[in-house]
């Protein structure tokens, strides 16, 4: 299996240098993991390095499904703030 | 009961929301992705320079001038001349967001912050609701797309120098969204003169407290400082990449041009910090915005909506309007306020079944809206930028005799159209013309 990088990627490149098997490189609009090279850090680290350094949480195992990984700010604890004058 | 939903709380969205209330909509909801209004307006400030003076006064005479008056009331400097520009006013970026927010709240606009639109619900030819990331659904009779045209990160990386952590804060609040795109309508992208996509935002902010106090004092007193760059640092090629072509003359390449906006505005797309620190007085300077001003700036004109001169978006939905950068290759707060105001006003006219308003081309604001649409239908036109304050459109204003700072002439011009004050008058309800 492999980890993957979702569209939340901000191209900071932190993951590229952390990968012990050099599976990550820059793509046309975001970074991407070569699925055939990634070993999910098995034998290298207990927590996959790319996931632990990603500042926006864009890195995750494909089996979780990146669509569910698209957490909104509301789910992270910041719901919309509604402002209106009380007249 | 008419409800107007405005998506995107920058200058255009604020203007649209205010205009919708002034047109009499009972319910106006403004949805903003980040934690504050105005977007790049928070790092902006330049008003009334060159043809923008005319545009501001025309809008005031048309009844759509309240936000211009808010900017005037919060100006750090007035009647300022800087390279290529005359009689500019600069609003205080530290005060303006609160002032605009209060203006909107006082007018009865409901503002939602940290409310990023992720989807919409529609019938065959109209939008019925938008939905937020937290799945809340907000219904409306008409919608205004004022989501801007910057980034998001992928666009800034592919066509610029990467995500520079600017005022737009995509990683924090989620990338820019587009109501036009969610409605399945194809958008256009702006180009530079060489045909490459996008244009880089043309200014940065420096942290005032990291500059020499004497330099700051002179800047605050005069409103602007023009400091020559050491010859080895001059890079004139960079000017071609700017979206703000009105600030793309050689003056800006050969000098560090600073404006006092309450913070310090540096009129260049970007400049390596080590070079900037060679300028006398800036030895310890730091960037305020964008954080990565050493390598680049945000990229704009990623997604422009097809629209007509009433700001109605074309392509399959009848109740979607657009303003600001969505409305075309228009650069500036003034331009955003003009198109946003018309979009908000016409959204109400549509919701009430009435005929939409077109601004006549005897006015600079009407001519600009039509002219930009016509130019954008041509390949060469897609490579230009349009602003009342410089480049080709300001020249056009002068040739057509539209440019003037004479308030009496402008009031007369607007009165002659029969539309004086029209944007401040509630719109009557007609039988609904548009089947949903």
């Amino acid at each position: 299996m492999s980890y993957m990088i979702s569209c939340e990627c901000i191209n900071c490149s932190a993951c590229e240098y952390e990968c012990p098997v050099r599976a990550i490189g820059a793509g046309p609009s975001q970074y991407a993991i070569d699925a055939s090279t990634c070993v999910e850090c098995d034998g290298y680290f207990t927590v996959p390095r790319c996931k632990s350094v990603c500042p926006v949480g864009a890195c995750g195992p494909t089996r979780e499904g990146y669509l569910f990984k698209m957490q909104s700010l509301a789910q992270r604890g910041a719901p919309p703030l509604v402002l209106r004058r009380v007249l | 009961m008419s409800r107007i939903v405005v998506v995107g709380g920058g200058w255009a969205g604020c203007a649209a929301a205010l205009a919708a209330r002034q047109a009499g909509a009972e319910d106006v909801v403004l949805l903003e992705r980040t934690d504050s209004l105005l977007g790049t307006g928070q790092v902006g400030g330049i008003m009334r320079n060159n043809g923008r003076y005319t545009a501001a006064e025309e809008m005031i005479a048309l009844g759509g001038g309240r936000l211009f008056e808010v900017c005037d009331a919060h100006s750090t400097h007035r009647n300022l001349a800087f390279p290529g520009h005359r009689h500019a006013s600069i609003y205080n970026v530290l005060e303006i967001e609160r002032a605009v927010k209060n203006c909107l709240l006082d007018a009865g606009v409901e503002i939602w912050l940290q409310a990023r639109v992720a989807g919409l619900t529609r019938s065959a030819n109209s939008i019925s609701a938008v939905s937020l990331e937290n799945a809340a659904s907000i219904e409306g009779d008409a919608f205004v797309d004022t989501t801007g045209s910057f980034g998001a990160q992928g666009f800034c990386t592919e066509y610029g120098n990467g995500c520079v952590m600017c005022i737009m804060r995509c990683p924090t609040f989620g990338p820019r969204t587009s109501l036009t795109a969610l409605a399945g309508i194809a958008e256009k992208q702006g180009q530079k003169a060489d045909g490459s996509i996008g244009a880089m935002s043309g200014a940065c902010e420096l942290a005032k407290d990291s500059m020499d106090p004497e330099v700051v004092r002179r800047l605050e007193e005069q409103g602007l400082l023009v400091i020559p760059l050491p010859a080895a640092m001059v890079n004139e090629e960079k000017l071609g990449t700017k979206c703000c072509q009105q600030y793309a003359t050689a003056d800006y390449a050969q000098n560090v041009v600073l404006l006092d906006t309450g913070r310090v505005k540096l009129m260049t797309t970007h400049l390596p910090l080590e070079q900037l620190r060679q300028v006398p007085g800036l030895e310890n300077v730091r960037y305020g915005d964008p954080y990565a001003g050493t390598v680049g700036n945000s990229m704009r004109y990623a997604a422009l909506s097809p629209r007509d001169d009433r700001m109605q978006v074309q392509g399959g939905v009848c109740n979607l309007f657009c303003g600001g950068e969505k409305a075309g290759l228009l650069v500036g707060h003034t331009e955003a306020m003009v198109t946003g105001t018309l979009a908000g006003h016409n959204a109400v006219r549509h919701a009430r079944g009435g005929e939409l308003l077109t601004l006549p081309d005897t006015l600079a604001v009407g001519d600009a809206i039509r002219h930009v649409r016509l130019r954008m239908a041509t390949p060469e036109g897609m490579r230009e930028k349009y602003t009342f304050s410089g480049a080709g459109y300001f020249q056009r204003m002068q040739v057509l005799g539209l440019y003037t700072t004479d308030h009496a002439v402008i009031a007369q011009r607007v009165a002659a159209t029969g539309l004086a004050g029209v944007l401040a008058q509630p719109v009557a309800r007609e039988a609904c013309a548009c089947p949903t």
Side-chain angles (χ1 to χ4, degrees), chain B residues 32 55 61 87 92 119 134 172 176 198 204 211 228 290 292 305 336 338 388 410:
Chain B
E32 164 56 31
H87 53 71
N92 188 326
N134 68 352
T172 310
R176 175 186 58 80
C204 308
M211 294 167 55
S305 310
V338 168
F388 299 112
I410 295 168

Side-chain angles (χ1 to χ4, degrees), chain A:
Chain A
M1 275 298 278
S2 167
Y3 266 50
M4 73 163 287
I5 301 173
S6 77
C7 57
E8 286 178 299
C9 174
I10 59 166
N11 295 284
C12 74
S13 77
C15 54
E16 183 180 15
Y17 302 106
E18 291 293 320
C19 180
V21 297
R22 300 174 62 157
I24 307 181
S29 58
Q30 63 166 83
Y31 277 69
I33 300 175
D34 179 353
S36 55
T37 310
C38 171
V39 295
E40 300 194 2
C41 285
D42 198 26
Y44 293 95
F45 299 99
T46 48
V47 177
R49 292 301 296 157
C50 57
K51 180 180 161 83
S52 56
V53 302
C54 177
V56 296
C59 242
T62 52
R63 64 179 170 275
E64 276 175 15
Y66 85 93
L67 285 173
F68 296 97
K69 187 71 174 54
M70 288 286 282
Q71 295 169 49
S72 69
L73 278 176
Q75 289 162 349
R76 284 180 214 137
L81 179 66
V82 180
L83 305 177
R84 71 170 85 85
R85 281 270 189 268
V86 177
L87 298 161

Side-chain angles (χ1 to χ4, degrees), chain B residues 103-121:
Chain B
C103 176
L104 263 48
L105 290 173
D106 290 343
V109 174
E110 183 173 296
I111 303 171
W112 290 49
L113 301 174
Q114 290 162 220
R116 181 171 176 270
V117 167
L120 57 75
T121 321

